[in-house]
Amino acid sequence: MNWQSSFFALLTVAASADEEPPQPPYPWADEIRRVLAPPLKSLLEPLDTWLAGLPAWTGPVSATALFLAAVFWVLLLKREYVYLGAPDQAIWRDLRIWALLVTLPYVVIYWMF
Amino acid sequence: MDELAKNLAGIDLAIILVYMVGVLALGAFFGKYVHSAGDFFLAGKALPFWAVGMSIVVSDIGATDMMAGAGATYKYGIAQANFDWIGSVPATFIAAFVFIPYYWRAGVYTIPEFLGRRYNGIVQTIMAVIWLCFLTSMLAIMLWMSAKFLHDVTGLNQYLAVWLTVAIVGVYTVSGGLAAVVMTDVMQMIVMFVGAAALLFLCLWETGGWSGMREIIGGLGDETADHFKLLLPHDTTGPYPWTGIVFGLGIVLSTGYFAGNQAVVQRALGARSEWDAKAGMIFAGFLKLFIPILVFVPGLTARALHPDLPEPDSAMPTLVVDLLPPGLTGLMVAAFFAALMSSVDSYLNSCTTMFVSDVYGPLYRQVTRVALPQGQGLILGRVLTVVLIVVAGLTAPVIERFETIYVAIQTMLSLFQGPTLAILLLGILWSRTTGWGAVAGLVLGVSLTGLLSLLGGTLFAPADPAQLVKVFPSDDPFLFISFWSFLFSLAVTVIVSLLTPREPPEKLRGLVFGHVMKDDAAQAVLRERVNGS
């Protein structure tokens, strides 16, 4: 779990432990939102509408494409770069193979769920 | 909870005691290998890949994460697992093959130090200050939140939990530095995995296996209809739409985390070779595969067995009380302590490293015109470790009263994630990137992130959320904000760099793709740095 999710997790814990303090008013922030939020929303809306209309398989396919793109990039790295600093040239030290093996279960999981 | 507290006797207490004595002994053992600041902060550059990988993973999981992760799964389903799955690969690959080699060859201790060498002192100072604020405040928060959790689960006195952790972590971190932190992390990871695996087995047993669990949760109605979907539609009402997960988390936030988080990178910098540093990162990506299974299956089990819990975060404690027999309860409590200690020790060590490398070191050099001697760095590191952990212990009980301060610090750090990745990436890949380009990309990128967070309602939220114009599809738009701020910072850094004079080639030597030092030269720099000669 990376720190962003830890951050929200901590907030959840804090919020569940005590009553939430009353939210102070920020009139200047409300004013900025009043002026800038509508144009930004209209700017992003076409993109949101398009993304929301994509078929359900787009998500898993995009995730899988990300995994595969990463592993193909690693497979294209030069052997010398991958082995740099290794005490020997044993096949098990080839980090390109590691990357391939690590990616496979992720692809299977994202394809299944 | 009282029922569990009563169960914590005999064999459970023995297991917890053995675990704590073991951690203390192992950590203290490494003290005899620490003779210089390089030994203390970078473990003498002797860490094998498996220790680096295990330490990276276990440092990331705190006791509160175990509880909140299960709670979020209880509420939203397996989509929560994305933070460990697509949040690890491809990020660990990019960190391993793009970032880590350059940090490693530069012979730096910290990321701000790298940014200082690549760009200038302004970028180094901004990054160091923000990270120091974050790490120091997190120490106290983690101690108190975890102690609170341990109190809820075991009935253990909160103050006792805090000071027990302070004493044990303090002793081994002061004595053995990064080597002790990493090696105890290895032991703590084993304890965590064994404890969590025991709970996982009992969870699956109680629900009739994975298919039984799916059947029970599927029968709970519309609210749990998406509980077994990893990627939810773009217009989902939940916080994790697939677009945010793939682009915001998978590309920006996770890469920023593995390449830009001092606590993570420091382990790789302590590796015994560049190969071990890269392999450690990839190994961490592999181990991350198991975290959701161990932490989040209990959340689903709680949903199946107790669908009406008043608080999702009580999912894990409820299961521990319900399912674990004596003996395994002690193991699970030891696992919670392991999660807590492994996070606290990492933050503590990273904090002292940054203070010495990015604050005191540059000041010393400016005043005396010579580099900080290794011996002095070691003493300072040890003294600071004691001071920080004691202050964290003292302030832990009161930190809750200043919730707005630590929320502000956390929010501030979250604003830096996208822009930091942008300047790190350009700094390594494009020699034309200049110091002024980086300063502009960082400052304007953070400003845009702040503005988007404000518009999205996560900063200075309106008193009435109903008044909010929904700019982003998700209620928690941080995934989208990080992506847009990353792209914006990239653009600003490129434009300003092109408008400002080039950096001299000698400054870029070894720090930028295409200007890589020959390996022998890189090794000589590292040896010189580590040995202090």
Side-chain angles (χ1 to χ4, degrees):
Chain A
M1 187 177 295
N2 64 29
W3 72 265
Q4 276 85 5
S5 86
S6 304
F7 167 47
F8 286 98
L10 281 173
L11 292 188
T12 315
V13 174
S16 64
D18 297 310
E19 275 184 29
E20 229 170 285
Q23 195 67 251
Y26 301 106
W28 59 271
D30 291 336
E31 188 57 23
I32 293 174
R33 269 189 286 265
R34 193 185 63 74
V35 174
L36 293 181
L40 184 63
K41 184 182 166 64
S42 50
L43 193 72
L44 293 175
E45 209 158 31
L47 182 64
D48 279 335
T49 312
W50 178 69
L51 288 169
L54 290 174
W57 50 260
T58 321
V61 166
S62 304
T64 308
L66 186 65
F67 289 128
L68 293 180
V71 83
F72 280 133
W73 166 68
V74 173
L75 290 173
L76 289 175
L77 292 172
K78 284 184 181 165
R79 180 185 162 84
E80 306 85 72
Y81 183 66
V82 171
Y83 276 96
L84 198 62
D88 57 54
Q89 302 285 304
I91 184 93
W92 74 268
R93 290 192 189 275
D94 190 338
L95 297 177
R96 292 169 299 186
I97 297 173
W98 287 35
L100 183 65
L101 294 176
V102 168
T103 308
L104 283 178
Y106 284 102
V107 171
V108 171
I109 287 170
Y110 275 80
W111 205 242
M112 280 173 63
F113 295 101
Chain B
M1 300 300 163
D2 290 344
E3 191 189 331
L4 182 68
K6 277 182 218 158
N7 285 343
L8 267 187
I11 188 165
D12 292 321
L13 289 173
I15 288 171
I16 296 167
L17 191 70
V18 166
Y19 160 73
M20 288 188 170
V21 171
V23 167
L24 199 57
L26 183 68
F29 170 77
F30 283 95
K32 67 179 181 180
Y33 297 109
V34 177
H35 305 294
S36 69
D39 295 338
F40 188 76
F41 295 124
L42 292 184
K45 287 218 168 264
L47 298 173
F49 79 87
W50 49 269
V52 171
M54 289 169 98
S55 182
I56 286 172
V57 170
V58 77
S59 301
D60 192 29
I61 307 289
T64 47
D65 299 324
M66 291 174 83
M67 179 171 71
T73 313
Y74 181 96
K75 192 172 177 186
Y76 300 116
I78 63 169
Q80 175 72 17
N82 283 303
F83 284 96
D84 286 292
W85 283 342
I86 205 167
S88 300
V89 171
T92 47
F93 296 174
I94 298 172
F97 293 113
V98 177
F99 292 95
I100 297 299
Y102 290 91
Y103 298 157
W104 212 85
R105 288 167 194 174
V108 294
Y109 286 12
T110 69
I111 294 167
E113 193 183 353
F114 177 82
L115 288 169
R117 285 192 193 186
R118 173 63 184 85
Y119 295 125
N120 53 44
I122 302 171
V123 182
Q124 179 176 6
T125 308
I126 293 174
M127 294 306 294
V129 167
I130 194 78
W131 271 100
L132 276 171
C133 289
F134 168 70
L135 292 171
T136 45
S137 67
M138 277 304 286
L139 276 175
I141 296 161
M142 268 193 298
L143 276 173
W144 189 245
M145 291 298 184
S146 303
K148 200 169 175 179
F149 169 57
L150 284 164
H151 170 74
D152 287 348
V153 176
T154 66
L156 186 70
N157 182 286
Q158 266 173 263
Y159 293 91
L160 180 64
V162 165
W163 287 104
L164 206 56
T165 310
V166 165
I168 296 173
V169 172
V171 166
Y172 74 71
T173 310
V174 168
S175 160
L178 183 67
V181 167
V182 169
M183 287 308 176
T184 52
D185 280 357
V186 169
M187 180 179 163
Q188 282 160 343
M189 180 170 163
I190 293 166
V191 171
M192 250 179 72
F193 268 48
V194 171
L199 184 62
L200 171 75
F201 175 77
L202 289 170
C203 284
L204 292 173
W205 180 268
E206 284 292 318
T207 51
W210 183 248
S211 54
M213 190 189 296
R214 286 190 77 145
E215 205 173 308
I216 298 169
I217 293 176
L220 292 176
D222 288 347
E223 208 186 327
T224 56
D226 289 334
H227 260 52
F228 289 90
K229 281 187 190 158
L230 263 177
L231 296 167
L232 302 173
H234 177 69
D235 53 356
T236 181
T237 50
Y240 313 126
W242 75 265
T243 40
I245 291 292
V246 172
F247 297 107
L249 176 65
I251 296 174
V252 178
L253 286 176
S254 57
T255 311
Y257 176 76
F258 281 102
N261 184 317
Q262 178 61 28
V264 171
V265 168
Q266 197 168 338
R267 276 136 188 76
L269 295 179
R272 63 186 169 194
S273 71
E274 187 179 318
W275 182 87
D276 282 274
K278 290 175 190 160
M281 272 286 170
I282 299 174
F283 187 50
F286 170 70
L287 292 173
K288 281 283 216 169
L289 191 63
F290 301 98
I291 301 296
I293 300 167
L294 297 173
V295 175
F296 301 138
V297 167
L300 290 174
T301 306
R303 187 79 192 206
L305 301 179
H306 305 277
D308 300 316
L309 284 178
E311 278 298 330
D313 285 343
S314 60
M316 181 73 95
T318 305
L319 285 186
V320 172
V321 172
D322 273 9
L323 302 182
L324 291 182
L328 283 184
T329 307
L331 191 63
M332 198 64 204
V333 173
F336 288 139
F337 262 110
L340 167 61
M341 287 183 190
S342 59
S343 302
V344 171
D345 64 15
S346 306
Y347 278 51
L348 189 60
N349 190 252
S350 295
C351 214
T352 49
T353 309
M354 283 184 118
F355 187 84
V356 173
S357 296
D358 299 311
V359 179
Y360 186 78
L363 272 176
Y364 184 92
R365 201 165 39 240
Q366 210 148 36
V367 174
T368 63
R369 302 283 167 201
V370 290
L372 181 69
Q374 289 276 315
Q376 203 173 323
L378 172 62
I379 294 167
L380 186 63
R382 282 186 158 148
V383 171
L384 261 175
T385 305
V386 174
V387 170
L388 278 172
I389 191 72
V390 170
V391 169
L394 289 172
T395 52
V398 293
I399 195 84
E400 253 189 329
R401 290 181 213 161
F402 301 99
E403 190 184 318
T404 47
I405 294 175
Y406 73 72
V407 167
I409 291 168
Q410 291 268 16
T411 308
M412 211 191 304
L413 188 73
S414 75
L415 303 180
F416 275 70
Q417 197 86 331
T420 304
L421 178 63
I423 64 168
L424 275 172
L425 197 65
L426 282 173
I428 285 174
L429 295 182
W430 193 41
S431 60
R432 186 67 184 83
T433 317
T434 63
W436 286 114
V439 172
L442 190 62
V443 172
L444 293 178
V446 170
S447 306
L448 179 83
T449 319
L451 180 65
L452 292 180
S453 303
L454 190 148
L455 296 178
T458 49
L459 262 187
F460 305 107
D464 179 12
Q467 287 179 344
L468 196 68
V469 176
K470 216 174 167 190
V471 176
F472 301 99
S474 171
D475 288 337
D476 287 325
F478 70 105
L479 296 172
F480 294 102
I481 292 172
S482 63
F483 181 72
W484 291 120
S485 64
F486 168 68
L487 290 185
F488 179 74
S489 293
L490 275 181
V492 169
T493 309
V494 168
I495 292 166
V496 176
S497 293
L498 289 173
L499 295 173
T500 46
R502 282 176 184 277
E503 301 284 359
E506 60 273 16
K507 187 181 172 189
L508 304 178
R509 192 166 171 258
L511 301 177
V512 183
F513 185 80
H515 290 244
V516 182
M517 281 187 283
K518 285 201 171 76
D519 197 45
D520 288 348
Q523 301 302 326
V525 168
L526 287 169
R527 272 196 300 274
E528 188 183 314
R529 183 69 195 262
V530 171
N531 298 331
S533 56

